[in-house]
Amino acid sequence: MNGLERMNFLSELRGRLRNALTDLVPADVIADVGPYAEMLKPTQDPKFGDFQANCAMSLGKALKRPPRDVATDIAARLKVDDLCDPPEIAGPGFINLKLRTERLVTEAAALISDDRLGVAPIAAPRTFIVDYSSPNVAKPMHVGHLRSTVIGQALDRVLRFLGHRVFSDNHVGDWGTQFGMIIYGYKHFRDDAAYQTAPVAELARLYRLVNQLSDYHEAVKTATALDAAARMAEAALLEAHRQAAANPKDKDAPKAVKKQEAAVAEAKAAIHSAKKKRETIDSDAALRALAEAHPQIAELARQETAKLHAGDAENLALWKTFIPQCLAALESMYDRFGVKFDLTLGESFYNPMLAGIVADLKAKDLAKKSDGATCVFVEGNAAPFIVQKADGAFTYATTDLATIRYRIETLKADAALYVVDARQGEHFQLLFATAKAMGYGQLECRHVSFGTILGDDRRPFKTRAGDTVGLESLLDEAIARARAIVDENDDGKKDGPELDAATRADVAEIVGIGGVIYADLHHNRDSDYIFSWDKMLAKTGDTATYIQYAYARVRGIFARNGIDADALRNTGGAILLNTSAERQMALQLLRFSEALNDVVVDYRPNLLTQYLYDTANSFATFYEQCPILKEPDPAVRTSRLLLCDLTARVLKTGLNLLGIRVAEKM
RNA sequence: GCGCCCGUAGCUCAGUAGGAUAGAGCAGUGGAUUUCUAAUCCACCGGUCGGGGGUUCGAAUCCCUCCGGGCGUACCA
C-alpha cells in the first residue's frame, strides 16, 4: 500500500449513480435503487464514451415519465465532474460517460508504485474451499482431469489475490473399489522387479489388468443377454417403422423410429465393446490363461475392497504403502502445472465419519430404506440419494456429506466451490439439498461445472487408437510442438538466433503448458470445446503465446537497452496520455481489478483471459503507433516506458493468476 | 418417460440478472516493414443469433412451442 486510493472506476461510478438515484427517486416508489445503479456498465463502442448508464429507460417506465427527461434529471444529480467529462444523453435515454484524461493520468500514475496494480484487497474476506482436480490416485491422470485442475487453480489464485482465505483441496479417490483391484492384482500378478523400479507404473498396470480380466468375464457372461437386448431393440425398431408407415400423419412416429434407431445403435455398440474386450484376452495366450485361472476375479476384488474397509491388517498395510507412492506421482504432475494444494483430504480421510453421517440422517428422519439401500429422497427428484448400499458399503454421497460437515466444523469455511464435470450436476443438486436439510445450509456450496473436451469428431477427446489421453503425454506433446515453434522463430530472427538450447527448452515449456491452460480457460467453462493443437499453439490470434509475446516484447525493450524497471518506477516521471492509443492503454490497465472481480462473480476464468487478450491487443496497437525509445521528447519517452512496464506487470500478474508463466525472451 | 445443457459468420468460440449498428480468432482478400522482436499491425469480406409465436420502448438474452444435438437418470465415483 502506498496511501493512494485504488480506483475501480466501475464500482466508483455505480456508487455515484446510486447516490444520484437515491436523491432523485422517492423511496416509496422504488425502495432499492441498487439494481438500477448496477445498470451502469462499460460501453461496447468507444464512440459512446467509456461507461454508460442504462437505467433511465426502465426508470422512466416505473416513474411514468419520458426516459430522456429522467436521464436529464439523473445526469444533473450525478456528481462525477472529478472523474468524467459532462455526461451525454443519447438515444432513448442512455447516459454516456467519458473519463477525464487527467484523471486517467493520475490513476495510472498511482499504479506505478502499487504492487497490487490497482486491485484493493477485499473489504470482507471469506473462507473458500476450492475443491478441484480430485483424480483417482490409483490411475495416471488423463485429459479428463485437465479442466478441473486448470479452472480450479485459476479460481484458487484469483480468490487469494483478491484477499479471500482459500483452502485448495484435492479430494482424491483413494479408498474406492479400485484399491480392491490393485490389492488383488498385487497379490496375484505383481512383477517385483517392475514394482521396485517404478511402483506406480506397476500398480497402474495391475489395476488395468484386473479391470481387463473382470471386464472379460463380464462380457462373456452377458453376451447372450446383450444379443437378446439387441434383437429386442431391432424388433422394436421394425415395429416403430410399421407404426410410422401405418400412421403417416402421426408426427410422433418418426421420433419413435429415431429413438429406436438410437437404441439399436447403442445395443450394437455394447456388443461391439464386449466383443473387443473378449478378443483382447482371447487373442493373447498369456492373458487367456490368466482369465481362466481367475474366473471370480471381479467378486474377489470386491472382497479385497471390503476387507480393506473392514480394517483387514494385510490389506490396510498394503494400502498404506501404496498411497504415498501414488500421491508422489500426482505431485510430479502438479509440479508441471505449478499447482499446489493446501489440503489433500481424500475419501479415506472421511471414512471414519461415514457411519455417523448415516446415523445422523436416520436420526433426523431424512433417510429411509428402499430396495435394501439407505436413501435420502429429495423433493422434486425421482432418483434417490443413496448414502448406504444394500451391502452396507457407503457411497460417495456419504463421503461428500461428511466433507461438508468437516468443512463447516473444522475448516470454518463460508463457501465451497466444487470444480467438477457438468455430468455430476444432479449429484450436487441432491448433495446440497440433503446437506441443507441436515442443517448444513450455512456453507454456500456451489457446483462450478464445466463441459467436455472433444476431439475433431465431436466425441470425447481420445487418441487415434481410441484410448484416453494421458495428461503426462499431453503436456509432453504440447512442449514438443512449442519447441518446434520456438526453434523456427528464433532461427528466423533477422540478426540470428538469440536463445541458447536451455533457454529454448525453458521457453517451450512455458509456451507449451501455457497454451494448454489458456486454451482451456478461454472457453466459457460451461461449453464443450474441441481440442486443437494448432489453435492452442498458433502463433497468431487469441492464445497464451500472443500474450506471452507481448510481455516478452516489453522485457526485451528494457533488457536490450539496459533500462532498469525498478529505477524507472522511482524516477517520478509522469504518465502522459496524448494519443488515443496511450489513453486506451492506460484505461485498459486500470480495468484490471474490474476483470478480476468479474471472474469471481460467477467463477468464470474466461473473463480474465479475455481481459488479458484485450490488454495485449491494446499494447500491440500502442506499440505500433507510439515510438518509445525513438521518441525525442524525454518526458514522453519516460511516460511510454512506464506504460510498457505497467503492461508487463499486469500481463504477468494476470497470466500467473491463471497458472500460466511468462518468459523474459521468446 | 423424466431432468439438465447446447444450437450465434465457412471453421473454432465470446456475448445471456434485456440495451444503441450482434463481437473476436482462424480461414479468405488487400495493404503496412531498410522491425524500439512481423510470434506484429491496419482495412475489407462474411450472420434470417436453429424455426415460429409471445412479453417489452427495446430480445441472441426472458416465456411458450416445434426442430436438431449432447448428457444424466438406484446402489461406480
Side-chain angles (χ1 to χ4, degrees), chain A residues 374-577:
Chain A
T374 306
C375 307
V376 178
F377 288 90
V378 172
E379 180 76 30
N381 282 77
F385 195 52
I386 299 178
V387 293
Q388 191 167 20
K389 301 194 283 186
D391 66 6
F394 300 109
T395 70
Y396 78 134
T398 333
T399 312
D400 282 353
L401 287 170
T403 305
I404 287 178
R405 181 157 83 183
Y406 182 80
R407 287 172 177 170
I408 292 172
E409 292 178 353
T410 305
L411 299 177
K412 313 288 182 203
D414 300 306
L417 308 182
Y418 293 81
V419 186
V420 181
D421 198 313
R423 284 174 293 200
Q424 292 191 43
E426 205 167 357
H427 165 71
F428 285 111
Q429 217 177 311
L430 293 169
L431 172 66
F432 299 158
T434 303
K436 202 170 170 190
M438 285 179 85
Y440 298 135
Q442 71 267 48
L443 181 71
E444 183 197 330
C445 290
R446 177 67 199 274
H447 178 199
V448 178
S449 73
F450 54 82
T452 309
I453 303 180
L454 307 175
D456 290 332
D457 55 0
R458 291 191 167 275
R459 305 294 311 158
F461 186 49
K462 296 272 169 65
T463 62
R464 214 170 291 161
D467 303 316
T468 55
V469 179
L471 214 43
E472 199 81 52
S473 62
L474 185 102
L475 291 190
D476 289 342
E477 180 159 2
I479 292 166
R481 285 171 182 260
R483 177 59 190 263
I485 294 168
V486 171
D487 286 343
E488 187 195 341
N489 187 65
D490 198 40
D491 289 339
K493 277 179 187 160
K494 169 185 71 155
D495 299 326
E498 59 170 348
L499 306 179
D500 58 34
T503 308
R504 286 185 181 197
D506 208 34
V507 173
E509 190 167 321
I510 290 168
V511 168
I513 297 180
V516 171
I517 296 175
Y518 189 89
D520 197 296
L521 293 179
H522 105 277
H523 291 94
N524 181 329
R525 60 177 169 76
D526 287 318
S527 317
D528 296 344
Y529 75 89
I530 296 180
F531 188 92
S532 162
W533 288 114
D534 292 341
K535 288 205 174 81
M536 76 174 61
L537 293 171
K539 302 205 280 182
T540 58
D542 185 0
T543 60
T545 317
Y546 177 85
I547 301 168
Q548 288 166 325
Y549 175 66
Y551 175 82
R553 262 180 152 179
V554 173
R555 300 301 302 153
I557 294 170
F558 283 71
R560 266 189 268 274
N561 299 283
I563 299 165
D564 180 70
D566 279 322
L568 174 75
R569 288 171 211 155
N570 291 323
T571 53
I575 301 244
L576 309 168
L577 304 176

Side-chain angles (χ1 to χ4, degrees), chain A residues 278-327:
Chain A
R278 289 206 311 273
E279 278 169 359
T280 27
I281 304 291
D282 285 335
S283 64
D284 184 314
L287 285 174
R288 172 93 209 215
L290 286 180
E292 276 166 14
H294 299 266
Q296 299 299 318
I297 190 165
E299 176 54 27
L300 294 173
R302 265 194 292 276
Q303 286 175 18
E304 297 292 2
T305 309
K307 275 163 71 184
L308 170 67
H309 289 180
D312 174 80
E314 186 189 9
N315 283 7
L316 203 55
L318 285 175
W319 181 83
K320 280 183 177 158
T321 61
F322 296 158
I323 287 296
Q325 297 168 339
C326 293
L327 290 178

Side-chain angles (χ1 to χ4, degrees), chain A residues 109-120:
Chain A
L111 294 182
I112 295 167
S113 55
D114 181 359
D115 55 4
R116 291 187 54 88
L117 293 163
V119 183

Side-chain angles (χ1 to χ4, degrees), chain A residues 333-393:
Chain A
M333 188 70 239
Y334 291 132
D335 282 346
R336 300 185 74 180
F337 276 115
V339 174
K340 265 241 164 297
F341 289 98
D342 299 307
L343 304 168
T344 299
L345 301 178
E347 293 164 345
S348 63
F349 177 80
Y350 298 98
N351 183 50
M353 312 171 199
L354 302 184
I357 290 287
V358 174
D360 190 21
L361 283 165
K362 284 178 178 161
K364 287 172 176 157
D365 209 21
L366 293 167
K368 60 179 176 193
K369 287 258 184 175
S370 171
D371 285 350
T374 306
C375 307
V376 178
F377 288 90
V378 172
E379 180 76 30
N381 282 77
F385 195 52
I386 299 178
V387 293
Q388 191 167 20
K389 301 194 283 186
D391 66 6

